[in-house]
C-alpha cells in the first residue's frame, strides 16, 4: 500500500515523500523516496509496487538495511517505555526530512550534521532533535540488526556541539523572591509613569510569569501575526485578559490567563 505525504521546504516549495509498504510471509519491507512533484511520486509508487509483487522480489532485498524512517517507525511502535509527547513529535518530524529516506548503512556523520543544520530554531532546540535522533542510532543495530553506525552519530554530535549547531539549554540556579519581584514591579511602574513611552516592563514580567513562555518567545511575534508587532501588543485580548500561546516547543496553541497586571 503506497502513500504520499507533503512537506513544506524552507524556500516555500513542496516536496512529496512517497512510501511503499509490503508485508509478505511475515517479512515486512518499507521504502521511501522524496520527489519535487506529486505525479512523479505517484508513478514511483506504482512502479515499485509492481516490482515488489513479482515472485522472489522480496528475497533480493536486504531487510536488515532499511531506510532510517523504518528504524524510527519500529522504535515508536515497539518501545515498551512510554515515549513522551515531545519526543514522539520530534521523531515524527525527523521522519519527514530527506535523511529519513537514506538507507541505514549509508548514513554518515556528514548527513546528520547537514540535517541538524537544516532545522529551524535555536541551538538548544536543535540539540533536542540531536538527542532524540541519536537514540535511534543507539539501539537500531543491537535490537534489530539495522546497519546504523552509532559511532557516526557520536561524531556528528561532537562536531555539532563544537561548531555551535547545538547547545544545552540555559540553566538557572534560583527563582526571584517575592520581595525582589515587588521591587522590580515597583521600579518599572514608576518608570512607566514618568516615561509613558517606555516599554511596560511590569506587564511583561507578569505575563512571562503566568504564561510560562521562554524569554525569547516573549520577544518574538507569533507566525500568524509576524507583521503585526510583538506578542503583547498583537496577541493579547485585554477584554478577556487572555493571550494565545503559540510557537511553543510542543507545537500546540494554548491560551494563558494572566490577569489584569
Amino acid at each position: 500500500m503506497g502513500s504520499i505525504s507533503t512537506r513544506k521546504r524552507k524556500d516555500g516549495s513542496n516536496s512529496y515523500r512517497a512510501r511503499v509498504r509490503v508485508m509478505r510471509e511475515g517479512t515486512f519491507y518499507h521504502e521511501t523516496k522524496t520527489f519535487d512533484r506529486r505525479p512523479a511520486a505517484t508513478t514511483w509508487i506504482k512502479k515499485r509496487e509492481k516490482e515488489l509483487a513479482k515472485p522472489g522480489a522480496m528475497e533480493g532485498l536486504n531487510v536488515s538495511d532499511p531506510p532510517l524512517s523504518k528504524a524510527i517507525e519500529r522504535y515508536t511502535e515497539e518501545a515498551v517505555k512510554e515515549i513522551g509527547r515531545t519526543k514522539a513529535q520530534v521523531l515524527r518530524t525527523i521522519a519527514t526530512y530527506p535523511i529519513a529516506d537514506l538507507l541505514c548503512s549509508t548514513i554518515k556523520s556528514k548527513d546528520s550534521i547537514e540535517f541538524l543544520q537544516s532545522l529551524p530554531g535555536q541551538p538548544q532546540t536543535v540539540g533536542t532533535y540531536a538527542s532524540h535522533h541519536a537514540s535511534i542510532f543507539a539501539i537500531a543495530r543491537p535490537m534489530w540488526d539495522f546497519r546504523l553506525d552509532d559511532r557516526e552519530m557520536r561524531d556528528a554530535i561532537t562536531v555539532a556541539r563544537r561548531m555551535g549547531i547545538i547547545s544545552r539549554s540555559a540553566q538557572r540556579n534560583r527563582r526571584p523572591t517575592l520581595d525582589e519581584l515587588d521591587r522590580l514591579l515597583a521600579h518599572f511602574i514608576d518608570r512607566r509613569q514618568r516615561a509613558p513611552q517606555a516599554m511596560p516592563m511590569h506587564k511583561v514580567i507578569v505575563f512571562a510569569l503566568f504564561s510560562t513562555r521562554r524569554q525569547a518567545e516573549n520577544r518574538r511575534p507569533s507566525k500568524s501575526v509576524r507583521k503585526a508587532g510583538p506578542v503583547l501588543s498583537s496577541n493579547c485580548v485585554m477584554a478577556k485578559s487572555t493571550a494565545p500561546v503559540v510557537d511553543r516547543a510542543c507545537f500546540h496553541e494554548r491560551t494563558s490567563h494572566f490577569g489584569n497586571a
Side-chain angles (χ1 to χ4, degrees), residues 38-59:
R38 179 178 285 273
T42 303
T43 300
W44 178 81
I45 288 176
K46 293 179 180 179
K47 178 183 176 183
R48 287 302 292 150
E49 288 180 339
K50 186 179 294 185
E51 292 172 346
L52 294 171
K54 295 178 181 179
M58 294 288 290
E59 297 176 4

Side-chain angles (χ1 to χ4, degrees), residues 122-137:
Q122 298 297 315
Q124 294 89 342
T125 301
V126 178
T128 299
Y129 277 76
S131 175
H132 297 324
H133 183 51
S135 66
I136 304 298
F137 282 73

Side-chain angles (χ1 to χ4, degrees), residues 4-33:
I4 299 175
S5 57
T6 305
R7 177 177 175 270
K8 184 76 71 174
R9 296 192 178 104
K10 281 187 174 181
D11 61 5
S13 64
N14 290 331
S15 65
Y16 301 92
R17 183 166 175 262
R19 173 178 294 179
V20 172
R21 298 183 181 184
V22 178
M23 174 72 78
R24 190 171 297 123
E25 297 179 357
T27 300
F28 177 84
Y29 179 71
H30 169 97
E31 187 175 345
T32 59
K33 192 171 183 178

Side-chain angles (χ1 to χ4, degrees), residues 155-169:
D155 288 344
I157 293 293
T158 299
V159 172
R161 185 173 291 118
R162 293 189 179 184
M163 297 299 291
I165 300 171
I166 63 175
S167 67
R168 295 181 181 276
S169 299

Side-chain angles (χ1 to χ4, degrees), residues 51-248:
E51 292 172 346
L52 294 171
K54 295 178 181 179
M58 294 288 290
E59 297 176 4
L61 299 173
N62 184 357
V63 294
S64 67
D65 190 22
L68 177 62
S69 57
K70 169 61 179 174
I72 294 174
E73 184 178 310
R74 290 198 63 174
Y75 181 88
T76 56
E77 289 178 352
E78 299 180 17
V80 176
K81 182 180 178 181
E82 183 178 358
I83 298 176
R85 183 171 59 182
T86 298
K87 185 171 186 176
Q89 173 63 45
V90 167
L91 292 176
R92 285 195 297 269
T93 302
I94 293 174
T96 68
Y97 276 77
I99 192 173
D101 297 334
L102 300 178
L103 296 178
C104 290
S105 64
T106 65
I107 299 177
K108 304 300 181 184
S109 57
K110 174 181 70 68
D111 300 308
S112 293
I113 292 169
E114 290 176 352
F115 160 65
L116 295 175
Q117 288 177 318
S118 71
L119 292 170
Q122 298 297 315
Q124 294 89 342
T125 301
V126 178
T128 299
Y129 277 76
S131 175
H132 297 324
H133 183 51
S135 66
I136 304 298
F137 282 73
I139 70 167
R141 184 190 56 77
M143 186 167 185
W144 305 304
D145 198 30
F146 289 174
R147 295 163 60 187
L148 272 178
D149 192 339
D150 190 32
R151 294 172 300 178
E152 295 286 347
M153 189 66 238
R154 290 199 300 269
D155 288 344
I157 293 293
T158 299
V159 172
R161 185 173 291 118
R162 293 189 179 184
M163 297 299 291
I165 300 171
I166 63 175
S167 67
R168 295 181 181 276
S169 299
Q171 300 294 318
R172 299 174 179 82
N173 54 22
R174 73 178 184 90
R175 296 185 178 91
T177 64
L178 291 177
D179 177 64
E180 289 171 333
L181 286 173
D182 286 341
R183 286 187 287 160
L184 281 171
L185 293 174
H187 167 76
F188 286 118
I189 290 173
D190 177 66
R191 190 183 73 165
R192 179 73 168 180
Q193 291 172 341
R194 288 184 288 103
Q197 73 277 11
M199 173 70 74
M201 286 300 298
H202 59 294
K203 293 184 178 180
V204 174
I205 291 172
V206 176
F207 178 85
L209 285 172
F210 287 93
S211 68
T212 67
R213 293 171 67 98
R214 294 169 179 155
Q215 180 175 311
E217 290 174 333
N218 288 328
R219 301 196 309 266
R220 182 183 65 225
S222 69
K223 294 178 181 176
S224 60
V225 291
R226 191 72 71 186
K227 298 180 181 179
V231 169
L232 286 177
S233 64
S234 62
N235 275 9
C236 287
V237 184
M238 296 309 296
K240 297 182 180 180
S241 300
T242 64
V245 178
V246 296
D247 297 344
R248 295 284 299 270

